[in-house]
Structures are given as structure tokens and as C-alpha cells.
Amino acid sequence: MKACGIVAEYNPFHNGHLYQISEARKKSRSDVMIVVMSGNFLQRGEPALIDKWTRAEMALKHGADIVLELPVAYSVQPADIFAKGAVGILHAMKCSTLSFGSESGNSDQFEVASKLMVDQASSIDELFKERAEKGQTYASRMEQAISETIPNFPIDLSLPNNQLGLAYGRENYKLGSPLQLEVIQRKQADYHEKTLQQGGTISSATAIRNQLLSSELDSDAVANFIPVASMNILKNQSLSSWADFWIFLKYQILSSTVEELKQIYQMEEGLEYLLKKSIQQSHSFEEFMMRIKHKRMTRTRLQRLCVYILLQIKKTDISGLSTVHATRVLGFSTVGQDYLNQVKKEAALTLLTKIDKQSKNFWELDIKAGNLYELGNGANLGRQDFGRMPIKSIDISPHH
């Protein structure tokens, strides 16, 4: 069986995702669609709107055959480490194609750009370091270093999905290009769009989340942008945001010493002092974010730092991230189950179908993340790890 891999967060699953899975299956001519999905804490440094099991269920109802969890050590990270974990899992799962959405560019351009970036990595790195004192963000420094090292670079690096796609391409090239890249052009909505596209059927996940989380607005307004089965699932969910975790974050910062905060992963430039000072003056997560704004750090990077504090992830916990050793199987279709049986002996990683005393050592940080996510959601949410078995999707979409 031929497998195509997708990296996703599905926060929440919307029509743009449905289009991508459908196009990826068609263009790659694959029998099995494998999704590597972030768990309950996401790449931009925020809790997922709804839990990982519910998002996996949405994906399985709309064309995914296997949903695997990207461990939190990789999921709450900049594009390069996020991609390293996700592409590593898809490679280990014997995928022949990697599909992703981009604002511009095609598969050949991404292949060429990925090779150029890996081959010129030392020159890019040198220029990047030279700009460290100029007060720019990481992304703008990197963009300038690349454009100066490689004039006429084939991909527009100012666009967020292009940046992620390029990170996937680079990881794939480093692995010897085992996966063929299949780029799907994004339709209608811009990634950063904050309001729903009136009259359309595809909108950004950001705009959909803003609508769902705003109590003054009617959540039915998002129905045009989300497949019916996903919408039915969403209606029965309590939605999460940073507001639900604010009290836990505040406790962690207030109860930690400056020295303890200094040990947190990615705590740099004396930020621990600013955090200690600002937390006492802040009454909400948004107010806290405004107080700790930093000219050299994006909001996303600061949010990721807050997740590390929340989960007490220390520099020693993350040192030397290399190959992903284990992934959690969140769900599968009948075809997906057949494929898992076919590859599990050859797959170069442990496929966890349940968390118990034997397997918990593979998944300690993620168990902590699951426990915390349960706390933020109150009593309504089921256990996230212990005792949960993969979802078996019977209600499979027409392609089967």
C-alpha cells in the first residue's frame, strides 16, 4: 500500500483541511493517508481549542486513515524542530509522499529551495549570527540571511505556510529525500486572516477560532467553513484557550525562584526577571503578554515559553532532540489498521496504542501535558492518556 503523509494541527478541522486531504490523496495516488498531528499544545504556543482525541476523530471522518501524535517536545517548537519531529515520523512510517499547503510555489521549487538551504547552511548561519545585535526577530534575521546568501531564492519566505513547507523540505532532504513533496496551493483564505471570509466556504483557522471563542458572536456563523460532521462534534465540546490555563501559569511563575525559571527551556536574555515582575501586575493572560512584549521576540515565541513554564520543561529535558522514538496512535480506519499491521515491524519507532505501566516511560512529558490539559478543561474532559485506546473509525468517507 502506498502512503501519503500530512502534518497538521486541525485546530479545528475545517473545509481547507478537507480540500487538502482530498487533493493530496488524488495527486499522490495513495491508498493510505497518514496524519501526524500535534497533541493538546500547539506549535504557536497555545492550548488546542479541543482535545487531541476529538480532533483525531474529525480527521478520520474526513479522509485520514491513521492519526499519529507528534510528541510535545516537538510540537511546541519553531518550524525547524517541529518539522524534524513530524517528517521523521512520516519517514519511519514508510510514507512515499509528503503533502502540505503553501501560499505559493510548487513541488519542484520547494525541492530546489530545500537543497539550497541545506547546502548553504553554514553561510546562512554566519550571516544570521551577525544580525543578532540588531534587535530583529528570529524570522526577519533568518529571512535576510537567506536572501543575501541565495539571491533569487525560489520561495517567498515572508509567507508562514511557505516557511513551514520549506522546513519539511529541508528535513526530507537531510534524510536523503525519501519522500516526494506534493504541494497543494492554499485556497481563498490567508493564514493570518482574523475575520471570516463572508460568502466563502474556506477561512483561516485563526478566524474560525476567534469566532468560536467570542461569546458575543453566534457560533453558527462558522458552519459554512467547517464540514458538517466536524461541526456536529464541535457543538458538544467545551473550547479551550490560554484563559483556562492562566491561573496555572501564574502559580508556576509566582512559586518559582528566578534561578528555577532560568532553567526553563528557551529562557534567555534575563527574561526570568521580567516574567517575575510582570506576573504580579497582570490580571489575565492577554495583559501579561502585553507586559512582556519584547523587541527581539515574537508573541509566538513568548507563548511557547509560557507552555514550557506551564509544563516545567527544562533545558535538560530538551537537550539533543534527534530522532522521534515513539508516537501515540490516536486513531485509524480499516485501511489504516491494515497498513499499521503491515509496517509496525519495519517502522523505526515505537507505536503506542495504549499508555500503561510498561509504556509510560516513552511518553512522560506528554502524559504531563495531557494531565494539565485535563485540569484546564475541568471535569468535562476524559482522560487524555492512561486507559485511552485508538479510535477505530467505522464511518469512513467515500474514497474507501
Side-chain angles (χ1 to χ4, degrees):
M1 283 192 279
K2 188 180 178 190
C4 174
I6 288 175
V7 184
E9 294 194 312
Y10 297 150
N11 189 41
F13 191 98
H14 56 66
N15 289 339
H17 298 133
L18 181 64
Y19 171 77
Q20 194 215 344
I21 290 181
S22 164
E23 284 294 293
R25 180 185 288 277
K26 194 162 59 183
K27 288 187 170 186
S28 67
R29 298 180 180 172
S30 294
D31 310 295
V32 186
M33 298 302 295
I34 301 178
V35 175
V36 173
M37 188 185 80
S38 301
N40 291 324
F41 291 91
L42 308 178
Q43 203 252 337
R44 288 175 57 78
E46 44 195 24
L49 191 70
I50 42 180
D51 74 281
K52 61 191 181 186
W53 298 97
T54 307
R55 283 157 38 238
E57 183 187 354
M58 289 176 170
L60 290 165
K61 283 187 179 293
H62 295 101
D65 292 299
I66 299 170
V67 182
L68 303 172
E69 184 175 352
L70 180 63
V72 72
Y74 294 88
S75 71
V76 187
Q77 289 278 16
D80 54 343
I81 302 175
F82 179 85
K84 188 183 185 69
V87 174
I89 292 172
L90 293 174
H91 175 45
M93 290 299 293
K94 310 291 180 190
C95 287
S96 51
T97 308
L98 165 60
S99 177
F100 55 88
S102 79
E103 291 94 347
S104 63
N106 57 39
S107 306
D108 290 342
Q109 286 173 313
F110 273 93
E111 297 269 13
V112 169
S114 301
K115 182 180 186 307
L116 283 169
M117 276 200 71
V118 175
D119 293 349
Q120 300 285 333
S122 56
S123 304
I124 292 168
D125 197 42
E126 211 172 292
L127 275 173
F128 175 77
K129 282 174 182 162
E130 280 176 21
R131 281 173 171 63
E133 301 308 313
K134 295 192 179 175
Q136 295 172 300
T137 63
Y138 178 96
S140 61
R141 279 164 59 201
M142 183 55 78
E143 201 178 323
Q144 280 190 8
I146 292 166
S147 61
E148 281 186 41
T149 309
I150 311 165
N152 305 316
F153 193 69
I155 301 295
D156 183 351
L157 286 169
S158 67
L159 303 168
N161 283 285
N162 284 358
Q163 290 169 17
L164 258 180
L166 195 54
Y168 301 147
R170 286 204 314 273
E171 279 310 310
N172 186 47
Y173 180 67
K174 286 178 192 172
L175 290 167
S177 300
L179 304 163
Q180 185 181 335
L181 303 185
E182 189 61 72
V183 179
I184 310 294
Q185 203 76 37
R186 280 175 67 87
K187 289 177 75 178
Q188 296 174 31
D190 179 65
Y191 178 88
H192 286 307
E193 205 171 67
K194 292 196 165 90
T195 53
L196 296 173
Q197 287 253 28
Q198 293 312 311
T201 56
I202 292 180
S203 204
S204 74
T206 305
I208 292 169
R209 282 195 300 277
N210 287 349
Q211 179 79 38
L212 288 167
L213 288 167
S214 174
S215 53
E216 307 120 51
L217 296 170
D218 178 6
S219 69
D220 283 349
V222 304
N224 287 343
F225 305 98
I226 295 178
V228 174
S230 282
M231 198 64 215
N232 291 338
I233 293 169
L234 253 181
K235 282 176 180 172
N236 300 314
Q237 300 297 315
S238 59
L239 306 179
S240 287
S241 71
W242 257 115
D244 301 298
F245 296 88
W246 163 241
I247 189 108
F248 305 115
L249 177 67
K250 193 167 187 175
Y251 169 77
Q252 290 287 25
I253 297 173
L254 286 172
S255 62
S256 298
T257 65
V258 166
E259 275 307 310
E260 285 168 336
L261 284 175
K262 204 178 278 190
Q263 303 312 310
I264 296 292
Y265 178 60
Q266 292 294 308
M267 189 71 74
E268 293 167 9
E269 302 192 29
L271 265 175
E272 59 273 17
Y273 295 99
L274 178 63
L275 297 185
K276 283 293 269 185
K277 180 186 169 189
S278 303
I279 199 78
Q280 302 195 41
Q281 303 163 332
S282 304
H283 298 93
S284 69
F285 182 73
E286 280 307 312
E287 188 185 337
F288 182 58
M289 281 285 109
M290 292 304 291
R291 288 185 185 278
I292 64 168
K293 271 198 306 192
H294 197 283
K295 64 181 178 184
R296 286 220 289 261
M297 293 184 192
T298 60
R299 176 173 172 134
T300 296
R301 186 165 171 206
L302 290 169
Q303 285 188 167
R304 283 199 285 259
L305 181 61
C306 289
V307 174
Y308 307 145
I309 296 167
L310 205 55
L311 296 174
Q312 288 294 286
I313 299 176
K314 305 206 167 37
K315 290 167 183 170
T316 48
D317 296 326
I318 300 287
S319 60
L321 281 177
S322 51
T323 313
V324 180
H325 297 296
T327 179
R328 184 83 197 265
V329 182
L330 294 173
F332 46 75
S333 67
T334 311
V335 171
Q337 188 169 21
D338 291 343
Y339 187 80
L340 284 169
N341 290 334
Q342 178 188 309
V343 301
K344 66 182 175 189
K345 285 177 185 163
E346 308 162 41
L349 81 171
T350 302
L351 293 165
L352 300 169
T353 49
K354 63 178 179 180
I355 303 296
D356 53 23
K357 283 178 183 173
Q358 281 73 43
S359 60
K360 69 180 173 63
N361 293 342
F362 285 103
W363 212 240
E364 281 184 66
L365 199 50
D366 296 271
I367 291 167
K368 190 194 278 191
N371 288 342
L372 190 80
Y373 193 78
E374 287 170 40
L375 275 175
N377 276 271
N380 304 324
L381 195 67
R383 291 296 301 274
Q384 289 298 290
D385 291 289
F386 285 100
R388 289 292 283 261
M389 297 298 286
I391 300 162
K392 293 184 182 180
S393 174
I394 308 301
D395 175 23
I396 345 171
S397 50
H399 61 263
H400 296 313

